[in-house]
Amino acid sequence: MAVLAGDWGRPVNTSAHEKGGIHDDETAQDLGFSGGTVAGSLHMEQFPPLLLEHFGADWWRRGNLSLYFRQATMDRDPVRCFLEPGDADRARVWMENEAGDVIMSGSAALGEDLESELRQRVAQVRPATDLRMLADIRVGEVCEPLTARAGDDQIDARLKVITEPLPLYEHNAQENARWGGRVLPAAACIHTFRGVETPLAPVRGPFVGLFGAIEIQYLAGPVVSERDYELTGQVLAVSESPKTEVIWFEATLADPTNGTPVARMIKMDRLMKGASPLWQAEASGSEA
């Protein structure tokens, strides 16, 4: 089957106003980026049209999208998605910029994918030997169940700038009845999982982080607005690179009335060593 290509989109850096973070021009430039970065979760919103074309609407109920972020983009940089059909209910997916550079890449599937791009990467993580910001984190750590809920206002905020608007995100009586509510676009859906981050990942000192990889797995989806979910999480791995400390964690949204898992996320975050006093102090000492 032929490779499917999406339309060009120009994602907006909606967090550019958050001073001191990776989306802020000044902070990002101090860390070696060209400017404030667009969150990878926003880029993920460009993939559903291709996923629906290949897998059909059932992807919202039990589909998987697993992406490793390779290169940052800046506000309104043009990007487009691609999908290459694979075996049975799996496909290879990626995003490119105008120069043909790969921005993110991974896998997509219909059904629970235990061999997804990120599951394979987690299995290959090497144990960290020198963690400072993440020194208090333990692999396997779980957090107490939390309540998670996304409001219509979060969808409305995304619809003002989203690159690929779809009817099921709107106040659309037919679509809302079909799916049990307004379906959350990727960025809003991912935010709903993030309540586990503080209890799972106590970070030492100030830090600047950025998303390194995200997977969404629908199990009895989709995730909709104005509904309470039970949220649980677990640390999968910690690692490091010359410039970052890294944490991988998994979070699950479940129906609080019967415990049925609705969706699961795997997320990898990178914490920049260059922004941490715990690493800057060593650099200053070595220079002296």
Side-chain angles (χ1 to χ4, degrees), residues 8 20 22 44 75 90 101 106 120 140 144 210 235 245 250 261 283:
W8 287 101
I22 197 66
M44 293 175 74
D75 184 59
R90 299 188 83 250
D101 300 322
Q120 293 186 58
E144 294 294 324
L210 67 159
V235 177
E245 294 186 24
E250 181 178 81

Side-chain angles (χ1 to χ4, degrees), residues 123 189 197 218:
C189 181
E197 292 181 7
Y218 292 111

Side-chain angles (χ1 to χ4, degrees), residues 5 31 39 60 89 106 141-142 170 231 248 281:
L31 291 168
W60 288 111
D89 291 326
E141 185 76 20
V142 299
E170 304 274 0
L231 173 64
W248 294 82

Side-chain angles (χ1 to χ4, degrees), residues 15-187:
S15 298
H17 62 285
E18 297 177 1
K19 299 302 180 183
I22 197 66
H23 309 300
D24 163 44
D25 282 342
E26 183 177 356
T27 302
Q29 289 166 358
D30 286 345
L31 291 168
F33 295 88
S34 299
T37 65
V38 174
S41 56
L42 307 189
H43 285 311
M44 293 175 74
E45 294 178 338
Q46 286 184 240
F47 285 92
L50 295 185
L51 300 173
L52 297 176
E53 180 178 350
H54 181 64
F55 296 117
D58 201 35
W59 184 83
W60 288 111
R61 298 186 177 90
R62 57 191 188 92
N64 178 286
L65 177 61
S66 186
L67 290 164
Y68 183 81
F69 305 154
R70 297 183 174 276
Q71 181 172 310
T73 68
M74 312 305 136
D75 184 59
R76 294 177 173 83
D77 285 352
V79 289
R80 71 188 303 194
C81 304
F82 296 87
L83 182 150
E84 182 179 35
D87 299 331
D89 291 326
R90 299 188 83 250
R92 186 171 71 94
V93 292
W94 68 98
M95 173 179 280
E96 295 179 3
N97 62 16
E98 287 185 308
D101 300 322
V102 176
I103 302 303
M104 54 182 61
S105 62
S107 60
L110 187 63
E112 188 168 8
D113 190 357
L114 300 180
E115 299 295 326
S116 68
E117 175 75 19
L118 296 199
R119 288 203 174 276
Q120 293 186 58
R121 286 184 175 274
V122 170
Q124 297 168 5
V125 170
R126 296 180 179 178
T129 59
D130 187 5
L131 294 177
R132 302 183 188 184
M133 292 176 282
L134 301 178
D136 297 325
I137 295 175
R138 300 292 177 264
V139 174
E141 185 76 20
V142 299
C143 66
E144 294 294 324
L146 305 166
T147 297
R149 181 186 182 94
D152 283 338
D153 59 320
Q154 292 174 258
I155 299 180
D156 294 338
R158 290 302 311 140
L159 292 183
K160 293 177 181 179
V161 293
I162 198 168
T163 53
E164 296 287 351
L166 296 173
L168 75 177
Y169 302 150
E170 304 274 0
H171 283 292
N172 181 304
Q174 182 176 353
E175 292 288 344
N176 299 165
R178 179 184 186 186
W179 300 107
R182 294 178 70 186
V183 174
L184 296 180

Side-chain angles (χ1 to χ4, degrees), residues 240-262:
E240 60 189 323
S241 74
K243 294 184 178 181
T244 64
E245 294 186 24
V246 176
I247 178 172
W248 294 82
F249 68 90
E250 181 178 81
T252 302
L253 294 172
D255 185 332
T257 63
N258 55 27
T260 299
V262 173

